[in-house]
Amino acid sequence: MENLIALLIAAPLLGAAVLLCGGRRLDRTGHWIGTLLAGASFVVGVVLFTDMLGRGAEDRTLHQRLFSWIPVEGFQADVAFQLDQLSMTFVLLITGVGTLIHIYSIGYMEHDERRRRFFGYLNLFLAAMLLLVIADNYLLLYVGWEGVGLASYLLIGFWQHKPSAATAAKKAFLVNRVGDMGLSIAIMLMFTTFGTFAFGPVLGSTGETSEGKLTAIGLMLLLAACGKSAQVPLQSWLGDAMEGPTPVSALIHAATMVTAGVYLIVRSGAIFDGAPDAQLAVVVVGAVTLLFGAIVGCAKDDIKKALAGSTMSQIGYMILAAGLGPVGYVFAIMHLVTHGFFKAGLFLGAGSVMHGMNDEVDMRKYGGLRKYMPVTFVTFGLGYLAIIGFPGLSGFFSKDKIIEAAFAKGGTEGWILGSVALLGAAITAFYMTRVMLLTFFGEERWRHAATPSPAEPDVEPAAETGGDHSEPHPHESPRSMTVPMIVLAFGSVFAGGFFSIGDRFLHWLEPVTGHDHGHAPVSATTVTAATMVVLVVGVAIAWAMYGRRPVPAVAPRGSLLTRAARRDLLQDDFNHVVLVRGGEHLTRSLVYVDHTLVDGVVNGTAASMGGLSGRLRTLQNGYARSYAVSMFGGAVVLIAATLLMRAV
């Protein structure tokens, strides 16, 4: 079975090569080629998963070495793969959800002239993401990491004729480069510390390494995770990335790429376990981001940007759990998987709404759509119930476990983290209820709103529907779009409960990640009760604000916090002041130093030599009398010196 591992990557990589190099002759069939090869990768994943289930818990790690990539004395890097319970979980998520999104895109991108290229980019992304999670060493993981960054850049800026899309792609690319520097430095530190990049030797030797070195490596890995997973302080790109087609948001910014940072931290758990300071930094980043993203999501009228804030917040929960060490590793991945179902479903539901609303994204111009889009309403509604943690649905099982793990941290730190997680759950219930009410309930506000809101100019072009901004005629999406939404809705409902029966997900991952139950100061029942209370409070506040009152066409000015949240809590303003202006001042200072000091020394030396040569040149004037006088003067000096030396 080991020989099948490479096929996971080979299928979508072949699809990318064929679709991107095949030319216009494949325009009519390219979307089917891309979808079938994504599905083929999923089938290979299922075959490998079935074989893995037939093995003992300690015998489930498979290896495949293709060739020696860099065979240099003292520096050995292989193209080799490792498939264990952790990477298999990601393989099934990436290929399964990825295939569904490919199917959805067939209908969503039906009228786009560059659909073949779009599917080529999707295949390229799948190949890079799979390489990232099945690589058996950090250097090969880095190749997949950069490949994911390239593919996301191409997909976010797919509608490059829009300046906003081109700018968003560039912003995502540049912000992620900051995080990528962290990963490259971490890999260099690993090599100088361990002499290798391979997971086994690196993670198996952490007990013999100083805490300082592990802390440095851990902090650099965290910086990398912050970039890919849109965590504070590198979160500013995610909201703008919604400029890409909605299937991109579902695949990259909900289910896969933004979870790469969580995978990196959990895979490197042994490093963080040996570096408490780095582990604390992970916890702080997760706790801050889960509140940051939730607050931003409360103020957005753009349906996709509201879901982007939600993604940032939910990834914050995962990072928080990963920072708790063995207490939270399993639950971070469990929430990652369930989130992949319900958040991908929510994004696809948002795309379905846009499909029927002339690509309008302003929720203030929706209302009452449940009558016109029943399948979208039900599937979106199930995703909504899952993400807020409604009892029995997936989010209830996975997010509650993270809250319990936060309290299990113990001491004052545990109480603080548990309280932050509960507060995040309350805010999640509020902003997601707001999205539901503005979109599917209330009066049909779209009947009187035919143009995009000036406050929300970032609207996808009408390439999918061929519509304009006349009064929309909402309707249900075609089956190619609704069937993937239905499948994801099943995952939103049943995945969490299935994983929790007999702690099967815990037992599945424990051989790789380990697990510690911790020492919770409160019982699981108490945590569940508290979670239900904050859920009801969040829903009730949203209902009071948006369900019982008419929704104005233009958002009121609001409080200072509301205005700040609409501007993403001033993250871009902060970056502009600290980084852009700071960079400008630094550049001007360096230019001044270059002109005054460096150029001053160089130019001063040149001027001095020029002046000296000019004076010496006067001695070579071409007049014989001058030379005779010089010779006579020289002879006098020599005679005088000789007489003086003899006298002495």
Side-chain angles (χ1 to χ4, degrees):
M1 283 295 173
E2 289 86 349
N3 295 331
L4 294 179
I5 298 177
L7 293 179
L8 290 169
I9 300 173
L13 192 59
L14 174 64
V18 170
L19 295 178
L20 296 178
C21 301
R24 293 189 175 277
R25 65 177 67 89
L26 297 177
D27 282 352
R28 293 185 178 181
T29 58
H31 50 288
W32 292 112
I33 294 173
T35 303
L36 289 173
L37 287 172
S41 184
F42 174 67
V43 171
V44 173
V46 171
V47 171
L48 289 167
F49 174 65
T50 304
D51 175 72
M52 189 176 287
L53 288 177
R55 299 169 180 258
E58 303 300 330
D59 189 36
R60 287 175 171 169
T61 300
L62 306 178
H63 291 275
Q64 182 183 13
R65 180 182 179 276
L66 293 185
F67 57 88
S68 181
W69 178 20
I70 308 177
V72 180
E73 184 178 357
F75 185 93
Q76 184 72 31
D78 294 333
V79 173
F81 308 127
Q82 173 179 305
L83 194 65
D84 56 18
Q85 293 93 317
L86 178 60
S87 51
M88 176 56 74
T89 301
F90 276 84
V91 164
L92 294 177
L93 177 67
I94 293 165
T95 59
V97 175
T99 300
L100 290 174
I101 292 172
H102 273 71
I103 296 171
Y104 178 94
S105 300
I106 292 174
Y108 192 86
M109 302 294 289
E110 181 179 3
H111 300 289
D112 196 294
E113 296 179 353
R114 300 167 66 236
R115 180 167 62 166
R116 169 185 55 82
R117 185 176 295 272
F118 179 78
F119 278 82
Y121 291 158
L122 285 183
N123 273 198
L124 178 64
F125 174 82
L126 284 188
M129 191 68 200
L130 288 167
L131 177 62
L132 190 159
V133 299
I134 68 174
D136 88 328
N137 63 81
Y138 284 97
L139 193 60
L140 190 60
L141 179 150
Y142 186 76
V143 176
W145 191 273
E146 290 299 314
V148 165
L150 170 63
S152 69
Y153 168 79
L154 295 172
L155 287 166
I156 293 170
F158 183 75
W159 286 321
Q160 54 192 289
H161 58 277
K162 295 172 56 185
S164 56
T167 301
K170 182 172 65 175
K171 181 178 181 180
F173 190 82
L174 292 176
V175 173
N176 273 272
R177 295 292 72 73
V178 178
D180 295 351
M181 283 297 297
L183 182 55
S184 62
I185 293 172
I187 293 173
M188 296 176 197
L189 291 173
M190 288 177 192
F191 185 75
T192 58
T193 303
F194 305 104
T196 181
F197 311 106
F199 292 150
V202 169
L203 301 178
S205 303
T206 55
E208 306 167 6
T209 309
S210 68
E211 183 178 319
K213 290 182 179 179
L214 293 179
T215 299
I217 295 173
L219 291 176
M220 290 299 100
L221 291 175
L222 173 60
L223 180 62
C226 287
K228 275 290 183 287
S229 295
Q231 299 292 285
V232 171
L234 300 179
Q235 80 287 4
S236 61
W237 64 271
L238 186 60
D240 297 74
M242 297 302 105
E243 286 292 334
T246 300
V248 175
S249 302
L251 178 62
I252 294 181
H253 309 126
T256 54
M257 188 185 93
V258 290
T259 63
V262 183
Y263 170 79
L264 182 65
I265 293 175
V266 174
R267 173 63 75 188
S268 309
I271 294 174
F272 288 95
D273 292 342
D277 291 338
Q279 204 168 57
L280 176 62
V282 174
V283 169
V284 171
V285 166
V288 171
T289 308
L290 76 86
L291 292 180
F292 189 104
I295 293 171
V296 169
C298 292
K300 294 296 184 180
D301 291 331
D302 183 320
I303 187 170
K304 288 176 65 178
K305 291 189 176 182
L307 294 177
S310 171
T311 298
M312 192 188 306
S313 178
Q314 297 303 307
I315 301 295
Y317 272 103
M318 301 171 206
I319 295 291
L320 169 62
L324 297 173
V327 176
Y329 288 144
V330 171
F331 304 128
I333 302 302
M334 181 176 173
H335 192 53
L336 184 153
V337 175
T338 59
H339 176 266
F341 285 114
F342 56 70
K343 183 54 65 66
L346 288 170
F347 267 115
L348 295 187
S352 179
V353 170
M354 294 166 57
H355 180 86
M357 291 293 293
N358 290 357
D359 301 300
E360 178 63 70
V361 296
D362 188 349
M363 293 185 292
R364 293 183 179 275
K365 297 176 181 177
Y366 292 166
L369 295 181
R370 68 186 187 279
K371 295 184 297 183
Y372 303 94
M373 304 179 183
V375 176
T376 300
F377 167 64
V378 172
T379 55
F380 194 98
L382 291 173
Y384 152 72
L385 293 175
I387 194 174
I388 68 173
F390 190 83
L393 275 70
S394 291
F396 169 79
F397 294 100
S398 58
K399 189 160 64 176
D400 274 23
K401 289 294 185 181
I402 293 178
I403 298 175
E404 291 175 23
F407 279 109
K409 183 70 174 177
T412 304
E413 184 180 346
W415 281 104
I416 293 174
L417 294 176
S419 300
V420 168
L422 280 174
L423 178 59
I427 302 176
T428 300
F430 171 80
Y431 69 72
M432 285 306 305
T433 303
R434 174 179 180 267
V435 170
M436 281 295 297
L437 293 175
L438 288 177
T439 303
F440 295 103
F441 294 89
E443 62 175 335
E444 299 172 352
R445 298 180 299 278
W446 43 270
R447 293 189 179 278
H448 310 290
T451 58
S453 169
E456 297 286 354
D458 301 330
V459 182
E460 292 182 4
E464 299 83 359
T465 61
D468 53 27
H469 290 293
S470 59
E471 182 175 299
H473 300 282
H475 56 278
E476 190 56 88
S477 299
R479 287 187 179 181
S480 63
M481 295 171 64
T482 56
V483 169
M485 291 159 55
I486 293 171
V487 175
L488 290 171
F490 270 96
S492 302
V493 174
F494 299 112
F498 177 77
F499 293 156
S500 298
I501 297 174
D503 289 331
R504 58 176 42 151
F505 195 80
L506 189 155
H507 296 317
W508 166 255
L509 279 184
E510 189 173 9
V512 179
T513 63
H515 183 66
D516 183 357
H517 291 283
H519 305 284
V522 293
S523 66
T525 303
T526 303
V527 172
T528 300
T531 305
M532 291 300 98
V533 170
V534 300
L535 184 154
V536 171
V537 170
V539 171
I541 294 175
W543 171 256
M545 293 180 63
Y546 298 97
R548 301 183 60 185
R549 303 176 185 175
V551 178
V554 179
R557 181 175 174 80
S559 65
L560 180 63
L561 178 61
T562 301
R563 296 198 300 273
R566 289 181 187 139
R567 295 174 60 87
D568 300 327
L569 291 180
L570 309 180
Q571 54 183 313
D572 284 330
D573 301 81
F574 175 84
N575 291 341
H576 184 75
V577 171
V578 175
L579 300 179
V580 178
R581 289 186 180 176
E584 290 175 351
H585 290 311
L586 177 61
T587 302
R588 289 170 186 163
S589 301
L590 292 175
V591 170
Y592 176 79
V593 170
D594 180 60
H595 286 172
T596 58
L597 182 60
V598 178
D599 288 354
V601 171
V602 173
N603 295 336
T605 302
S608 299
M609 297 305 295
L612 178 61
S613 64
R615 287 172 174 79
L616 292 175
R617 189 169 60 247
T618 59
L619 300 178
Q620 302 291 331
N621 55 19
Y623 293 112
R625 60 180 179 272
S626 297
Y627 298 156
V629 171
S630 298
M631 294 170 64
F632 177 76
V636 170
V637 171
L638 289 175
I639 293 171
T642 302
L643 294 175
L644 180 62
M645 290 179 65
R646 287 182 177 181
V648 174

